[in-house]
């Protein structure tokens, strides 16, 4: 009888130990799962990852981005030429294509994000590409012009019922001509076109 009770007690202790061990394992397993499933930004945060807003209207920030571009080692003391198009976004990004500083037949793509410029990425060009028709000197279209464009666009958009404010500005270069965009303002009942001079001032504003 004593032996029977002893073995029953031992079995009970063993079962309890197994249950406790399984529970501990579950906790450890869950802890590991939580660690790997947690997004890095829940633990780490840096200024470079901070989302910016209002960049396209900020002359100081735009001028700083331009100065940083001019200070890149490959462009120091050299003229910079934009190629085809350049895009400015309200979250602090710029997407640009530039003529190579040493070989004028080459084009490189650059991205400005988190307050710094990326390394250059080669752009593949067709043998029929007319490079000179898609180039404009950065000196003639300084980045701060973007703030003038966005201000003029949004002032006009505010006068049109149902029209949205813009937060993305881009420059298109074709046949030696530069054109700032967006140039269309869609209202709930009206459609307007706005065109800009190279310096960002309004060239025309007409209803379609």
């Amino acid at each position: 009888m004593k032996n029977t009770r002893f073995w029953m007690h031992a079995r009970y202790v063993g079962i309890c130990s197994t249950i406790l061990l399984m529970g501990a394992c579950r906790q450890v397993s869950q802890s590991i799962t939580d660690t790997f499933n947690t997004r890095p930004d829940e633990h780490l945060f840096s200024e470079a990852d901070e989302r910016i807003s209002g960049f396209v209207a900020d002359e100081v920030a735009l001028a700083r981005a331009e100065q940083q571009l001019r200070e890149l080692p490959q462009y120091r003391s050299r003229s910079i030429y934009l190629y085809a198009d350049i895009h400015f976004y309200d979250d602090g990004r710029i997407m640009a294509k530039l003529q190579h500083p040493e070989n004028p037949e080459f084009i490189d793509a650059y991205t400005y994000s988190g307050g710094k410029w990326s390394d250059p990425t080669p752009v593949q060009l067709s043998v029929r590409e007319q490079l000179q028709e898609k180039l404009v000197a950065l000196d003639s279209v300084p980045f701060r012009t973007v703030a003038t464009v966005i201000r003029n666009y949004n002032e006009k958009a505010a006068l049109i019922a149902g029209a949205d404010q813009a937060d993305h500005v881009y420059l298109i270069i074709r046949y030696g001509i530069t054109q700032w965009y967006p140039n269309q303002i869609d209202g709930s009942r009206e459609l307007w076109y706005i065109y800009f001079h190279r310096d960002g001032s309004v060239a025309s504003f007409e209803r379609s």
Side-chain angles (χ1 to χ4, degrees), residues 81-85 98-100 103-108 123-137 173-177:
Y81 287 87
L82 307 177
Y83 172 77
D85 57 76
L98 310 178
Q99 187 176 43
H100 192 278
N103 189 330
E105 299 300 314
F106 291 167
I107 299 295
D108 291 323
V123 174
Q124 188 179 78
L125 298 175
S126 166
V127 69
R128 295 180 295 277
E129 193 73 32
Q130 301 296 318
L131 250 65
Q132 294 303 317
E133 294 183 352
K134 296 183 180 180
L135 292 173
V136 67
I173 309 149
R174 293 288 186 276
Y175 310 111
I177 300 171

Side-chain angles (χ1 to χ4, degrees), residues 107-193:
I107 299 295
D108 291 323
Y110 290 82
T111 298
Y112 182 76
S113 181
K116 62 179 69 173
W117 286 97
S118 68
D119 292 331
T121 301
V123 174
Q124 188 179 78
L125 298 175
S126 166
V127 69
R128 295 180 295 277
E129 193 73 32
Q130 301 296 318
L131 250 65
Q132 294 303 317
E133 294 183 352
K134 296 183 180 180
L135 292 173
V136 67
L138 175 57
D139 288 341
S140 69
V141 280
F143 286 1
R144 66 175 182 273
T145 307
V146 171
T148 303
V149 171
I150 202 72
R151 181 177 64 252
N152 287 330
Y153 181 96
N154 286 337
E155 284 179 357
K156 297 297 186 184
L159 302 175
I160 302 169
D164 293 326
Q165 298 281 288
D167 60 3
H168 168 212
V169 174
Y170 55 106
L171 180 72
I172 301 296
I173 309 149
R174 293 288 186 276
Y175 310 111
I177 300 171
T178 56
Q179 178 64 58
W180 289 104
Y181 290 84
N183 67 350
Q184 181 175 314
I185 303 177
D186 289 290
S188 53
R189 299 181 183 275
E190 303 172 14
L191 172 61
W192 288 75
Y193 287 96

Side-chain angles (χ1 to χ4, degrees), residues 17-34:
S17 297
T18 300
I19 292 171
L20 290 173
L21 182 60
M22 289 175 65
C25 288
R26 286 196 197 97
Q27 290 179 345
V28 172
S29 177
Q30 185 62 46
S31 177
I32 293 173
T33 300
D34 291 344

